[in-house]
Amino acid sequence: MKLTLHIWRQKNPQDKGRFVTYHLDDADEDMSFLEMLDVLNQHLIEKGEEPVAFENDCREGICGMCGMMINGLAHGGMKGTTTCQLPLRHFKDGADITIEPWRSRAFPVMKDLIVDRSAFDRIIQAGGYISVNTGNAPDANTVLISRDTAELAMDYAECIGCGACVAACPNGASMLFMSAKIAHFSLLPQGQVEADKRVKAMVGQMQKEAFGACTNYTECEVACPKEISISAIARMNHDYLKAFWPGRAVGGGKHVA
Amino acid sequence: MDKSLGFYGSSVGKKMWMAVTGIIMFLFIFVHMIGNLQIYIGPEALNRYGHFLHSIPEILWPVRIILLLCVLVHIVAAVQVWLQSYGARPVKYKIKKDPAVDYAARTMVWSGPIILLFIIFHLLHLTFGSVYQLHYTANGQIDVFRNVVSGFQHPGIAIIYIVANLLLGFHLYHGLWSLFQTLGVSHPRFNHWRRIFAIIFAYAIAIGNISIPVSVWAGWVH
Ligand code: SF4
Ligand code: FES
């Protein structure tokens, strides 16, 4: 199949960047989107041009590196699909495809389609962890968790940190990512010890990064390749309110009478 | 290390203040509308209600002060939240599709300030009497019914009220749903009711309020 690609090219973070149009004649509808970019890059290398820089690692939808804006939709807009899993079948022969990096002040463009998502890492460092005693693995079933709770926590744990929620949000807010992490911990007993401290610290860090503020557009939920629900955001908000509720012990946990 | 900025320091906390003040203002607007619908019972009923409200300053003034504070907090927080997002995407997308965003959500930032201007106009019109001279009844009390009817007989005034209440309906359509999400009230069992709740009350307020200028115009109330 033939494709016309308008791709954002930017040499480095300082470069102003511009769109460059490429015509690709030997794309195949069984290729994934990244394989198509590989073919394009092969042609560019043969012509002695700089290949298009994009991030990728697993190519099976679990590492979260391959995010890009494709015709105005994060990851190309196929439900529950990352760019690496997006088949060219999704496009018509002869299609015009515009490919841009995530646009967010918190995600500066490093090169072409690669952005720096370290802001996410700093949010995780602020509180996206639990403290446990290391040593032998604990015996099975010593901590009982109902199946529904475990399943829901797993749904939230599916977040791969790709940044599509921020990229798709008209406000550039990072609520879905952050809340997926917080909700995952807040559902499980292991997450309770640091619950209050965690939500305060992670929201506080989000505030220091250059993300926008959520106004419940719900665009993130549609864009998320892992189909994380905005119920995660509601849960995080609930936890936030609880953490600041008068009479709570400093640093989390309930008062012990 | 505690990275917390305090409750109000984050956009999450600011939005909770917006939600709570929004609920209070919504409750007022709802009661206000129900009260005003007495115009359909007749001049005496509406005037009696109007005088009753003004007869207890111990309630009138606290309510006014609380509402004023709610308006202020709602606006200050809204501006701060809006400013945070304003700088969040300095380079725009060449193509960006927003399949999930509805018209009401997208226009909150416009419907809000316009409703504020309308509230000021509404107070000037029917409370302070600076738009038209206010009418008084024979015994010297304010003639609420006459003021409303004579005001709405001017097409321009009626249009201002109708447009403002349409925008209020849109504002509530998003706000009355959004507040549940913001305050963390969410459960698969009742989540679809959040939208239904917002639709019912957004329509009720818009239709209830707009019916009054329309009825005056049509000559049903005179
Ligand atoms: S919430 Fe979804 S869109 Fe956002 S970072 Fe996680 S996986 Fe990506
Ligand atoms: S390359 Fe890992 S998710 Fe796409």
Short mmCIF file of all heavy atoms in Angstrom, two decimals, chain A residues 120 159-165 176-177 180 224-226 228, ligand 1:
data_model
loop_
_atom_site.label_atom_id
_atom_site.label_comp_id
_atom_site.label_asym_id
_atom_site.label_seq_id
_atom_site.Cartn_x
_atom_site.Cartn_y
_atom_site.Cartn_z
N PHE A 120 7.08 11.88 34.67
CA PHE A 120 6.35 10.72 35.20
C PHE A 120 7.19 10.00 36.25
O PHE A 120 6.69 9.59 37.30
CB PHE A 120 6.02 9.73 34.06
CG PHE A 120 4.69 9.97 33.39
CD1 PHE A 120 3.94 11.10 33.68
CD2 PHE A 120 4.20 9.05 32.47
CE1 PHE A 120 2.71 11.30 33.06
CE2 PHE A 120 2.97 9.24 31.85
CZ PHE A 120 2.23 10.37 32.14
N CYS A 159 -1.41 0.26 33.72
CA CYS A 159 -0.83 1.49 33.13
C CYS A 159 0.63 1.27 32.78
O CYS A 159 1.41 0.79 33.59
CB CYS A 159 -0.97 2.65 34.10
SG CYS A 159 0.03 4.07 33.63
N ILE A 160 1.00 1.61 31.55
CA ILE A 160 2.38 1.41 31.10
C ILE A 160 3.16 2.72 31.04
O ILE A 160 4.26 2.78 30.49
CB ILE A 160 2.41 0.71 29.72
CG1 ILE A 160 1.53 1.47 28.73
CG2 ILE A 160 1.97 -0.75 29.86
CD1 ILE A 160 1.57 0.92 27.30
N GLY A 161 2.57 3.79 31.57
CA GLY A 161 3.30 5.07 31.63
C GLY A 161 3.63 5.66 30.28
O GLY A 161 4.64 6.36 30.13
N CYS A 162 2.77 5.41 29.29
CA CYS A 162 3.11 5.84 27.93
C CYS A 162 2.94 7.34 27.73
O CYS A 162 3.55 7.93 26.84
CB CYS A 162 2.25 5.09 26.92
SG CYS A 162 0.49 5.48 27.06
N GLY A 163 2.07 7.96 28.52
CA GLY A 163 1.87 9.40 28.39
C GLY A 163 0.76 9.80 27.43
O GLY A 163 0.54 11.00 27.20
N ALA A 164 0.03 8.83 26.89
CA ALA A 164 -1.04 9.16 25.94
C ALA A 164 -2.13 9.99 26.60
O ALA A 164 -2.75 10.85 25.97
CB ALA A 164 -1.65 7.89 25.36
N CYS A 165 -2.35 9.74 27.90
CA CYS A 165 -3.39 10.49 28.62
C CYS A 165 -3.05 11.98 28.66
O CYS A 165 -3.90 12.83 28.42
CB CYS A 165 -3.58 9.93 30.03
SG CYS A 165 -2.05 9.54 30.90
N LEU A 176 -4.76 10.77 34.82
CA LEU A 176 -5.08 9.35 34.63
C LEU A 176 -3.88 8.49 35.00
O LEU A 176 -4.01 7.48 35.71
CB LEU A 176 -5.52 9.07 33.19
CG LEU A 176 -6.18 7.70 33.01
CD1 LEU A 176 -7.49 7.62 33.79
CD2 LEU A 176 -6.45 7.38 31.55
N PHE A 177 -2.70 8.90 34.54
CA PHE A 177 -1.47 8.17 34.88
C PHE A 177 -1.30 8.10 36.39
O PHE A 177 -1.18 7.03 36.98
CB PHE A 177 -0.27 8.87 34.24
CG PHE A 177 1.05 8.48 34.84
CD1 PHE A 177 1.63 7.26 34.56
CD2 PHE A 177 1.69 9.33 35.74
CE1 PHE A 177 2.83 6.89 35.14
CE2 PHE A 177 2.89 8.97 36.32
CZ PHE A 177 3.47 7.76 36.02
N ALA A 180 -3.95 6.09 38.22
CA ALA A 180 -3.85 4.64 38.00
C ALA A 180 -2.87 4.05 39.01
O ALA A 180 -3.12 3.00 39.62
CB ALA A 180 -3.41 4.33 36.58
N CYS A 224 -6.30 6.09 26.28
CA CYS A 224 -5.41 5.17 27.00
C CYS A 224 -5.36 3.80 26.32
O CYS A 224 -6.38 3.13 26.16
CB CYS A 224 -5.88 4.99 28.44
SG CYS A 224 -4.92 3.77 29.34
N PRO A 225 -4.17 3.34 25.92
CA PRO A 225 -4.07 2.04 25.26
C PRO A 225 -4.37 0.88 26.22
O PRO A 225 -4.60 -0.24 25.76
CB PRO A 225 -2.62 1.99 24.78
CG PRO A 225 -1.89 2.91 25.69
CD PRO A 225 -2.86 4.00 26.04
N LYS A 226 -4.35 1.15 27.51
CA LYS A 226 -4.67 0.11 28.49
C LYS A 226 -6.09 0.27 29.02
O LYS A 226 -6.48 -0.42 29.96
CB LYS A 226 -3.64 0.12 29.63
CG LYS A 226 -2.23 -0.21 29.16
CD LYS A 226 -2.13 -1.67 28.71
CE LYS A 226 -1.34 -1.77 27.43
NZ LYS A 226 -1.33 -3.17 26.91
N ILE A 228 -7.53 2.36 30.91
CA ILE A 228 -7.71 2.70 32.32
C ILE A 228 -8.93 3.62 32.43
O ILE A 228 -9.07 4.56 31.65
CB ILE A 228 -6.46 3.45 32.88
CG1 ILE A 228 -5.17 2.70 32.54
CG2 ILE A 228 -6.63 3.77 34.36
CD1 ILE A 228 -4.75 1.66 33.49
S1 SF4 C 1 -2.97 5.90 32.10
FE1 SF4 C 1 -3.04 4.92 30.07
S2 SF4 C 1 -2.52 6.61 28.67
FE2 SF4 C 1 -1.87 7.26 30.71
S3 SF4 C 1 0.27 6.64 30.89
FE3 SF4 C 1 -0.95 4.95 31.74
S4 SF4 C 1 -1.27 3.56 30.01
FE4 SF4 C 1 -0.57 5.49 29.11
#
